[in-house]
Amino acid sequence: MPLRTAVQTEYSLWEREPETKVFPVLAELGIGFVPYSPLGRGFLTGQLRSEADFAENDYRRHSPRFQGDNFKRNLELVDRVKELADQKGCTPGQLALAWLLAQGEHIVPIPGTKKRERLAENLEAIAVELSEEDLKRLDELVPAGSAAGDRYPNMGSIDG
């Protein structure tokens, strides 16, 4: 029977909470999943290298994951992803999207972009083949819960 319903929440290599709390229910009920921010608000692309890369009005300037020591620790995670992406001949963003696509047919990520070249780059993620070894390595490089900092300044209003 085709999926006719879906749940949408944040999910990416660095935001894995849905795996334990949401996915079991979705599987039981046959519900699809649409992850937003599949590129970790652009961070998993490897393009952001310092807090100065954000415009003055950029939301990420106020997000705990993009500030101070959290930024530095998360940059280490991105560098690990970039290393494997280089080995696979793809961009870090393509690798992050390929990882999502490998999590199941019920998952349809929606990466946002403002540029056509990024859209084309994101679409090329479907051609990135990940072996079981690649998936295991990604889990080791970016284990669940490894992102530093909360997703939002006030997580109590989201998870509370």
Side-chain angles (χ1 to χ4, degrees), residues 10-53:
E10 188 170 350
Y11 183 53
S12 68
L13 267 172
W14 78 340
E15 182 51 50
R16 312 261 299 266
E17 188 173 343
E19 292 175 346
T20 57
K21 295 184 176 184
V22 177
F23 287 2
V25 175
L26 299 181
E28 179 183 332
L29 299 175
I31 297 174
F33 185 74
V34 180
Y36 71 81
S37 293
L39 297 173
R41 303 193 189 285
F43 205 68
L44 292 169
T45 65
Q47 301 295 311
L48 304 168
R49 302 306 297 173
S50 79
E51 295 173 66
D53 290 337

Side-chain angles (χ1 to χ4, degrees), residues 5-136:
T5 58
V7 168
Q8 179 182 19
T9 194
E10 188 170 350
Y11 183 53
S12 68
L13 267 172
W14 78 340
E15 182 51 50
R16 312 261 299 266
E17 188 173 343
E19 292 175 346
T20 57
K21 295 184 176 184
V22 177
F23 287 2
V25 175
L26 299 181
E28 179 183 332
L29 299 175
I31 297 174
F33 185 74
V34 180
Y36 71 81
S37 293
L39 297 173
R41 303 193 189 285
F43 205 68
L44 292 169
T45 65
Q47 301 295 311
L48 304 168
R49 302 306 297 173
S50 79
E51 295 173 66
D53 290 337
F54 303 124
E56 286 299 319
N57 63 349
D58 193 312
Y59 152 82
R60 294 170 291 189
R61 282 190 172 271
H62 308 288
S63 175
R65 287 198 175 165
F66 297 95
Q67 296 177 345
D69 288 338
N70 290 340
F71 188 97
K72 292 174 190 168
R73 287 179 43 208
N74 290 328
L75 194 56
E76 292 173 11
L77 297 175
V78 170
D79 288 343
R80 294 178 198 166
V81 172
K82 183 177 180 340
E83 184 179 313
L84 182 57
D86 288 346
Q87 292 171 14
K88 299 289 294 177
C90 63
T91 68
Q94 289 169 336
L95 183 63
L97 291 172
W99 175 85
L100 270 173
L101 294 170
Q103 301 308 302
E105 290 184 8
H106 67 290
I107 296 177
V108 181
I110 52 170
T113 185
K114 296 176 185 172
K115 299 178 181 178
R116 285 185 186 185
E117 61 268 17
R118 294 291 177 233
L119 175 61
E121 178 182 318
N122 290 342
L123 289 172
E124 290 175 21
I126 61 173
V128 176
E129 294 184 26
L130 298 177
S131 66
E132 288 299 319
E133 185 177 307
D134 292 331
L135 294 170
K136 182 179 176 188

